[in-house]
Amino acid sequence: MITIKSQREIDLMRKAGHIVAMAHRRIEELIAPGITTRELDRAAEEVIRKLGGIPSFKGVPNPYGGIDFPASICASVNHEVIHGIPNDIPLKEGDIVSIDIGAIYEGYHGDAARTYEVGKVSPEAKRLIAVTRESFYKGIEMAREGMRIRDISRAIQQYVEQNGYSVVRDFVGHGIGREMHEEPQIPNFVTLERGPRLRKGMTLAIEPMVNEGRWEVDILSNKWTVVTKDGKLSAHYENTIVVTENEPEILTE
């Protein structure tokens, strides 16, 4: 069931979103060759807890029967798409790393992802990151009262494919609020379903996942980390938004 949030609930989600944004700001300060994703995880969790939040991801059950998620952030490097588990391998010059952060504040979630450059990256990697980010903004141009989920999906897919990339189809965006994942699902590609009409007070996590090559993905043996099947780069950009009477409001910037 799709829930319409009250002003009080939106205010709490705005606070959760602020915590997520501050954690991303800390990540941006620290990203450099030589740092490990485990160090980034510790830094993000410190920010989340200092600001009164709880990490959304830590301890989430594995849908495929593996271990519960062991960290506060997802850190996906190069060909890893989403759900990368932080580790002690130092990042190196030219890597790209997608960091997904979620925080709970007084029972409500905020969720946002960014793909960061590690030192100087290739022009191809830089362009992939830029197109992925811009595809999010193309999508939220359609996130207005009376439009449909499918309008968001179409805008994202068209922009990505016009630029020569592909959108991941096995994983999608989602509603968000008291739960990290609520209805409706928000594909980054057009499906046969038009999806519900958008209404003021709907809160959505819109998150294009864009591959340099083909859209197909695999899941590693840890039953969390999703990787591109062809081994090419992937980028991720996400924000939590609320549908308003006018333009959507981004809660995680």
Side-chain angles (χ1 to χ4, degrees):
M1 184 180 77
I2 298 172
T3 60
I4 303 300
K5 308 303 189 297
S6 67
Q7 189 57 56
R8 174 185 170 277
E9 290 176 306
I10 292 168
D11 288 343
L12 290 173
M13 291 186 67
R14 191 178 288 114
K15 290 177 181 177
H18 173 73
I19 292 170
V20 170
M22 291 303 97
H24 269 293
R25 181 175 295 181
R26 183 61 178 145
I27 294 292
E28 189 172 11
E29 292 170 349
L30 293 173
I31 283 276
I35 198 166
T36 69
T37 51
R38 197 183 305 277
E39 289 172 310
L40 296 177
D41 177 63
R42 286 197 292 264
E45 181 170 350
E46 182 179 342
V47 170
I48 291 168
R49 295 193 184 278
K50 183 177 180 180
L51 294 176
I54 300 169
S56 295
F57 303 160
K58 202 164 193 176
V60 168
N62 190 304
Y64 305 105
I67 61 167
D68 294 348
F69 197 78
S72 295
I73 67 172
C74 300
S76 307
V77 181
N78 294 330
H79 72 297
E80 296 173 349
V81 181
I82 51 172
H83 303 164
I85 298 174
N87 58 45
D88 294 317
I89 301 171
L91 296 172
K92 62 183 184 299
E93 185 89 15
D95 283 341
I96 64 172
V97 54
S98 297
I99 303 291
D100 196 352
I101 302 176
I104 308 166
Y105 182 81
E106 294 190 13
Y108 287 85
H109 291 262
D111 187 12
R114 307 282 186 266
T115 299
Y116 294 97
E117 302 174 13
V118 182
K120 185 176 181 180
V121 304
S122 69
E124 293 79 12
K126 190 180 288 287
R127 181 173 180 270
L128 173 66
I129 293 170
V131 168
T132 303
R133 180 182 185 276
E134 184 60 23
S135 72
F136 165 83
Y137 287 98
K138 295 295 184 185
I140 67 166
E141 288 177 7
M142 301 293 110
R144 296 172 181 267
E145 195 166 24
M147 303 295 279
R148 291 189 182 272
I149 295 296
R150 193 178 190 185
D151 297 315
I152 298 173
S153 305
R154 180 183 294 106
I156 291 171
Q157 182 178 14
Q158 285 182 346
Y159 184 77
V160 168
E161 292 181 353
Q162 285 167 2
N163 280 277
Y165 301 122
S166 61
V167 290
V168 171
R169 296 176 181 237
D170 293 46
F171 299 87
V172 298
H174 50 91
I176 184 171
R178 279 194 169 275
E179 303 294 332
M180 170 60 71
H181 294 100
E182 298 183 350
E183 290 296 325
Q185 291 193 342
I186 309 168
N188 298 305
F189 55 94
V190 176
T191 68
L192 295 177
E193 298 293 328
R194 292 189 299 171
R197 288 199 183 275
L198 301 178
R199 294 173 54 196
K200 178 183 175 183
M202 289 174 66
T203 47
L204 311 172
I206 298 174
E207 51 177 322
M209 292 155 270
V210 179
N211 291 350
E212 183 180 32
R214 294 162 44 193
W215 63 263
E216 293 90 348
V217 298
D218 286 323
I219 299 176
L220 297 185
S221 59
N222 64 27
K223 298 187 178 181
W224 276 114
T225 307
V226 178
V227 299
T228 58
K229 189 178 282 287
D230 59 14
K232 294 187 176 181
L233 296 177
S234 185
H236 186 195
Y237 195 89
E238 175 187 23
N239 279 303
T240 300
I241 72 160
V242 57
V243 178
T244 74
E245 292 175 346
N246 300 302
E247 294 183 356
E249 178 187 352
I250 298 175
L251 301 178
T252 44
E253 283 189 337

